[in-house]
Amino acid sequence: MKIAIDAMGGDHAPVAIVEGAVEAAREHGIEIILVGDKDSLSRELSKYNITGLSLSLRHASQIIEMEDPPLAPLRKKKDSSIRVAAEMVKRKEAAAFISAGHTGATMATAFYTFGPLPGVERPAIATFLPTLKGVSIMLDVGATVDCKPVHLLQFALMGDIYCKEILNKEEPKVGLLSIGEEDIKGNELTRESFKLLKSTDINFIGNVDGKDVFSGKADVIVCDGFIGNIALKISEGLADAITKMLKREIADAPSGRFGYFLLKSAFKNFRKRTDYSEYGGAPLLGVNGICIIGHGRSSSKAITNAVQVAVNFSKSGINEKISKKMSSLFQTRKIRRATK
């Protein structure tokens, strides 16, 4: 299996990207193709002993900057590292591509290069969230900000399949993020989506209130990309703030150092569970190819774990399962409309 990585994307590129790629090649024993400026990447690779590792370079002369528009790889920067990596997947030269760079550009490139899966109208980014019971999946967290009820229906079905395959849950509990648990709560989008989800064969448990997102009440939490992205960033900010608050309180307390010594392992576990790098990256569900989107601040550890996400996604055949489910749904809805 070959994985292409946009080595020029991310706050710490190409240093952290190359380091993570080297570790991934060593850890997983698969071929990693680093895409970007060949001279810069060669200099970075020279810092490591890569004897016996399957690492190669693919030159890309352009870089997508954060101020570039999302369609830049498709219009003005066609030789960008994002575009070149995506084209490699399209030509079957790689099983998946990973980018921690411009999220909008990565999504747009993947969607227009791969095209949507049959029956899918809009893509969704699915991310892991730590909960009191383990891990849940939230989607969409930024791919589609303006949604229709049918889009949330498709997100739910894709999330259900992703959860079954990756988290090994036979009947995932799927919830709709809203402002209350009651059926009538929410705006027009959530109320109409509720009706559609209730008519499916998935294990739909109804609305999930914001306070229950981290309780583990639902294995899959569905929302539009606008709300999901805000919820995700609030969660990341809160985790960082809590860590800093605890450190400050410990430092100010007379017995703080002793208390920290006793609770050191608990603090370490908390940081690990809330650290985005532990989860690697988030797949863009609904496109006819594999695209893993990394955090802009991705460290080498995050890149290594993102490679594992890509490998698991490819081996599980999730796209094939989504296509089958969506085709069945499309035919059913088509028949229902024809008989009305």
Side-chain angles (χ1 to χ4, degrees):
M1 183 184 297
K2 299 179 181 179
I3 305 295
I5 302 179
D6 164 23
M8 312 309 290
D11 297 348
H12 308 297
V15 178
I17 311 300
V18 172
E19 183 181 351
V22 170
E23 187 58 34
R26 182 177 292 120
E27 200 173 291
H28 306 305
I30 59 174
E31 183 173 347
I32 304 294
I33 306 169
L34 289 165
V35 183
D37 180 71
K38 205 164 188 177
D39 291 338
S40 298
L41 298 181
S42 294
R43 285 195 297 271
E44 284 301 319
L45 272 178
S46 66
K47 300 175 182 178
Y48 303 93
N49 179 7
I50 59 173
T51 303
L53 300 182
S54 297
L55 276 162
S56 59
L57 304 179
R58 180 67 61 89
H59 182 65
S61 63
Q62 297 172 307
I63 299 173
I64 299 299
E65 307 291 351
M66 292 309 295
E67 60 268 20
D68 285 328
L71 295 180
L74 302 169
R75 295 177 177 173
K76 296 182 178 180
K77 294 186 175 181
K78 296 183 179 181
D79 196 44
S80 64
S81 49
I82 291 177
R83 176 71 179 270
V84 172
E87 290 289 347
M88 290 177 65
V89 177
K90 184 179 181 180
R91 293 193 300 267
K92 309 298 183 184
E93 296 175 18
F97 90 95
I98 298 167
S99 179
H102 194 308
T103 301
T106 302
M107 291 187 300
T109 302
F111 187 76
Y112 287 104
T113 302
F114 304 153
L117 287 170
V120 177
E121 295 182 15
R122 296 288 186 275
I125 301 175
T127 192
F128 290 127
L129 292 179
T131 72
L132 294 176
K133 297 181 180 180
V135 175
S136 290
I137 294 170
M138 176 181 279
L139 75 167
D140 175 32
V141 293
T144 306
V145 296
D146 295 311
C147 291
K148 297 177 181 178
V150 67
H151 300 151
L152 295 193
L153 168 64
Q154 293 174 1
F155 296 169
L157 296 175
M158 292 192 293
D160 178 69
I161 292 170
Y162 185 56
C163 188
K164 286 177 179 176
E165 297 301 322
I166 301 301
L167 297 184
N168 297 315
K169 302 236 175 149
E170 292 185 7
E171 291 294 330
K173 294 177 289 184
V174 180
L176 180 65
L177 186 60
S178 189
I179 58 173
E181 297 179 0
E182 297 81 4
D183 299 7
I184 60 171
K185 288 292 183 68
N187 54 18
E188 184 178 355
L189 173 62
T190 54
R191 291 197 301 270
E192 291 302 314
S193 299
F194 186 100
K195 296 175 185 177
L196 290 178
L197 291 172
K198 201 171 182 180
S199 66
T200 65
D201 59 357
I202 62 175
N203 184 19
F204 179 55
I205 62 171
N207 289 335
V208 173
D209 191 80
K211 63 180 174 60
D212 289 321
V213 167
F214 297 100
S215 70
K217 179 179 179 180
D219 300 306
V220 178
I221 301 170
V222 180
C223 58
D224 65 74
F226 184 79
I227 296 298
N229 192 263
I230 292 174
L232 178 63
K233 288 177 179 176
I234 288 176
S235 302
E236 291 178 350
L238 178 61
D240 288 341
I242 289 175
T243 300
K244 291 175 182 177
M245 288 176 186
L246 287 173
K247 287 182 177 180
R248 189 179 302 163
E249 292 297 323
I250 290 170
D252 291 343
S255 57
R257 292 184 180 180
F258 179 69
Y260 176 76
F261 177 77
L262 294 176
L263 297 172
K264 187 176 181 180
S265 61
F267 287 132
K268 183 178 179 180
N269 290 335
F270 173 77
R271 284 197 299 270
K272 185 175 181 179
R273 293 198 63 194
T274 58
D275 184 2
Y276 65 86
S277 67
E278 292 289 335
Y279 304 102
L284 182 65
L285 300 181
V287 294
N288 195 18
I290 302 176
C291 169
I292 308 299
I293 298 174
H295 199 291
R297 293 181 293 161
S298 285
S299 60
S300 58
K301 181 180 181 181
I303 296 301
T304 301
N305 288 335
V307 170
Q308 184 62 63
V309 172
V311 170
N312 292 342
F313 196 104
S314 180
K315 287 183 176 180
S316 62
I318 291 173
N319 279 346
E320 291 77 11
K321 293 178 174 67
I322 289 176
S323 294
K324 184 177 180 180
K325 185 71 174 180
M326 291 303 174
S327 296
S328 174
L329 174 69
F330 177 76
Q331 290 298 326
T332 300
R333 289 173 62 81
K334 187 175 180 180
I335 292 171
R336 285 177 180 172
R337 287 197 297 268
T339 56
K340 283 186 178 180

